[in-house]
Amino acid sequence: IPESGHKYYLQFSTEDYRTGEDAGSCLATVLYPKKKSPPVVSIKCSRTKDKKEILEEDNRLYQRIRHQTKPITGNNIPDSYGHIEPALEPVWALAVAGSSSIMWEKSTETLGYSLAQVKAAKQWIRKDEFIEFDYTVLLHEIPTQEIISCHMRLTWLPGHPLKVKHFCASASHGLDEGSGAESGSASAEKAANF
Amino acid sequence: MRLPVLLAALVAVATCTETFVGHQVLRVVPKSDEELQKVQELQALEHLQLDFWLAPRGLGFPVDIRVPFPSLQPVKAHLEASGVSYSIMIEDVQALVDEEQTEMLRSSRRLPLDTNAFNYEAYHTLDEIYNFMDMLVAENPSLVSKLEIGRSTEDRPLYVLKFSTGGMNRPAIWIDTGIHSREWVTQASGVWFAKKIVQDHANNEGVASILETMDIFLEIVTNPDGFAFTHSKNRMWRKTRSKNSGSICVGVDPNRNWDAGFGDAGASGNPCMETYHGPYPNSEPEVKSIVDFVKSHGNIKAFISIHSYSQLLLYPYGYTSTPAPDQQELHELSAKAVAALSSLYGTKFKYGSIITTIYQASGSTIDWTYNQGIKYSFTFELRDTGRYGFLLPAKQIVPTAEETWLALKVIMEHARDNMY
């Protein structure tokens, strides 16, 4: 759009991250303004699952995590061979949801991300009913091909929006102190339902 | 104490600093109080550095003592002088420790005996893959040979398997996997392809007909230094392992190091970046060896370089938006190849030129091979689309290889039927 920026019209389908089954479709417009600022997004989705079903699944996930007697910790999820310990699947699922909020914030018209691996996960037991995890996640950045390490703190209770705080190192190969690294906190607009 | 447990403990120690060369383990079974006392005296002599595996307990109970080499003479003299009989249970502790260690290593990674016993549904180490190649050649000497086309920065051999039923410098197809070391499903698929070619030939089906008139070259581990590094230190390593002068950062992106638009937009000049193009084209031996091979062979008709992930089939160019002269034919061929791939498990692939389908990339492999006159130059990006990414679960190796093979056959058959 001359003088204004680039506008994209998107139509896409969604699927359940775990099962792969169809989860609905969405229509969206994304406007990247000429000047560097976050894009303007408008989106409308149709869901195949109703809210009640989603809450039930969230509760099941929640119970699985709460049931553990010790704080859950894990490393390298999936491992080098793509394997995820069944006991750590809920931890991975939460990381996927939380990382998506980091990637949402970081991505631009020319930079995109995927979650490459959960390097470390550590649960912090809280006095209230919220679940809290500390993560180190690796994001794969396109087109630079860089692997970005991000520290993520996540709190969640079914029926509530996922709260995510993150801090990503700048892309420079194992050198942890990066200048110009970003920090930010975000809570997802809608409840993290999966 | 159990002998194996003790030995294992010794192995653990041995792997650190201590050596047990010349040490012996003696057994004494005291049959009288005098004998028992003589043995107990030994316990007090700290300077002998005796290690009692079985301490004295009483009459009739065995006493096992590990005796360091320098103490052997005094200990035996002490026992013999008192008429205490002993037996030598272990003549040389170090020899036993060494043997155990070898066995432990061998059993934890039990090498298969032949390519039928090889586990295609698992990821393997560099040694295991190189061993596989040797077995394949040994089992099929008239069809398969192994060529060393160069050596990597860290001096690892760069091996290419040649599949040929004869002739002299026949028109050929080149396939490489693992140029980016973290893309593990590609090397694993390469191994599967190698076996598949042999099987097809044996059963006179599939690519057997292609082998009647063409040769196939397959480089399974195109970046062995990087591959070894993904096993030992960093699973996410992509580049080579060459040192960059003036920088602490290591490695060059082998898919930006080719002489096609080298250094243009679409690669980085920063050695610390994943897409660093290197100081000059073909600076990387992993790349130069292929360049030399292609030029000296002179008769390669199709060149396919395999990557992961994204599920794409790509043709030139990456460094420029000028369409390749054969764009239309390549596009139609891609459509057929992708359809064949999908037919097996429904896996969806997109296709097009590199620059229009993913992003601008300069100095990439197939841009160079295409400009050399190899019309059928393609790059694959295999499974998946980001859910597991580089860490594709091992159980997807075979399905990925199987579906990709169908696409490769379409390209190979087209090259054979459209000789130029």
Side-chain angles (χ1 to χ4, degrees), chain B residues 69 72 254 295 323 400:
Chain B
F69 183 72
L72 274 177
K295 281 183 168 167
T400 301

Side-chain angles (χ1 to χ4, degrees), chain B residues 179-180 183 186 255 305-309 365 379-382:
Chain B
I179 193 170
H180 284 145
E183 298 164 8
T186 69
N255 198 27
S305 192
I306 303 189
H307 293 250
S308 75
Y309 56 93
T365 310
T379 285
F380 277 79
E381 292 276 358
L382 304 187

Side-chain angles (χ1 to χ4, degrees), chain B residues 99-366:
Chain B
E99 207 189 295
E100 170 119 297
Q101 189 156 32
T102 320
E103 188 45 52
M104 268 168 52
L105 286 168
R106 198 184 299 126
S107 66
S108 68
R109 288 216 151 276
R110 185 151 278 138
L111 291 176
L113 296 169
D114 57 56
T115 63
N116 288 323
F118 190 87
N119 187 0
Y120 297 91
E121 297 179 357
Y123 290 110
H124 291 275
T125 63
L126 185 63
D127 287 345
E128 287 167 351
I129 295 179
Y130 277 12
N131 176 253
F132 163 84
M133 289 183 205
D134 289 338
M135 290 194 298
L136 195 72
V137 170
E139 292 163 17
N140 307 276
S142 53
L143 178 69
V144 195
S145 53
K146 185 176 84 171
L147 313 170
E148 183 173 319
I149 61 167
R151 295 194 83 94
S152 69
T153 293
E154 292 176 343
D155 203 36
R156 290 185 174 83
L158 301 166
Y159 290 133
V160 171
L161 292 178
K162 174 182 180 183
F163 300 85
S164 177
T165 59
M168 277 284 299
N169 198 234
R170 281 182 175 166
I173 293 147
W174 167 283
I175 302 170
D176 65 75
T177 52
I179 193 170
H180 284 145
S181 36
R182 62 190 181 195
E183 298 164 8
W184 276 20
V185 72
T186 69
Q187 298 95 337
S189 294
V191 167
W192 189 93
F193 296 155
K195 180 64 173 168
K196 182 63 172 160
I197 295 171
V198 159
Q199 281 174 335
D200 274 9
H201 177 258
N203 299 324
N204 200 22
E205 57 187 16
V207 296
S209 58
I210 292 173
L211 286 168
E212 279 167 20
T213 52
M214 298 181 83
D215 293 342
I216 300 176
F217 292 97
L218 176 62
E219 186 172 7
I220 298 175
V221 189
T222 308
N223 179 6
D225 294 351
F227 191 56
F229 201 70
T230 59
H231 277 275
S232 63
K233 291 271 175 4
N234 182 353
R235 175 63 177 82
M236 296 294 172
W237 191 262
R238 166 186 168 94
K239 302 188 286 180
T240 62
R241 290 293 300 165
S242 51
K243 303 223 182 318
N244 295 309
S245 79
S247 173
I248 50 167
C249 295
V250 175
V252 167
D253 186 342
N255 198 27
R256 300 288 188 279
N257 188 241
W258 302 73
D259 199 0
F262 179 86
D264 291 353
S268 171
N270 181 345
C272 297
M273 293 309 198
E274 298 281 17
T275 54
Y276 175 51
H277 48 59
Y280 52 85
N282 306 327
S283 62
E284 304 311 286
E286 295 80 357
V287 169
K288 176 118 189 3
S289 55
I290 302 176
V291 168
D292 291 344
F293 180 84
V294 167
K295 281 183 168 167
S296 72
H297 187 280
N299 208 15
I300 295 177
K301 297 302 177 188
F303 191 104
I304 301 141
S305 192
I306 303 189
H307 293 250
S308 75
Y309 56 93
S310 284
Q311 293 175 202
L312 304 170
L313 175 50
L314 307 165
Y315 51 81
Y317 288 112
Y319 73 92
T320 172
S321 48
T322 306
D326 303 290
Q327 152 104 351
Q328 184 163 1
E329 184 186 355
L330 295 178
H331 198 78
E332 283 166 14
L333 180 52
S334 300
K336 278 183 65 187
V338 156
L341 188 154
S342 268
S343 70
L344 197 54
Y345 297 110
T347 308
K348 294 197 179 71
F349 265 59
K350 296 203 180 68
Y351 58 95
S353 69
I354 297 170
I355 197 168
T356 59
T357 315
I358 26 170
Y359 43 70
Q360 185 173 21
S362 61
S364 67
T365 310
I366 62 166

Side-chain angles (χ1 to χ4, degrees), chain A residues 112-178:
Chain A
Y113 297 89
S114 282
L115 174 62
Q117 191 181 38
V118 175
K119 228 24 208 158
K122 187 178 154 131
Q123 184 180 12
W124 291 97
I125 305 288
R126 292 169 63 109
K127 292 201 169 73
D128 57 26
E129 332 131 284
F130 279 79
I131 288 179
E132 181 160 351
F133 274 90
D134 220 50
Y135 287 101
T136 302
V137 295
L138 297 181
L139 301 184
H140 177 213
E141 183 179 80
I142 307 277
T144 62
Q145 295 294 338
E146 298 298 325
I147 302 288
I148 315 281
S149 180
C150 298
H151 179 237
M152 173 169 75
R153 191 133 217 178
L154 176 162
T155 48
W156 180 60
L157 185 64
H160 293 69
L162 197 67
K163 270 204 170 54
V164 178
K165 279 192 169 51
H166 74 267
F167 182 91
C168 295
S170 61
S172 54
H173 268 279
L175 295 172
D176 286 355
E177 326 312 321

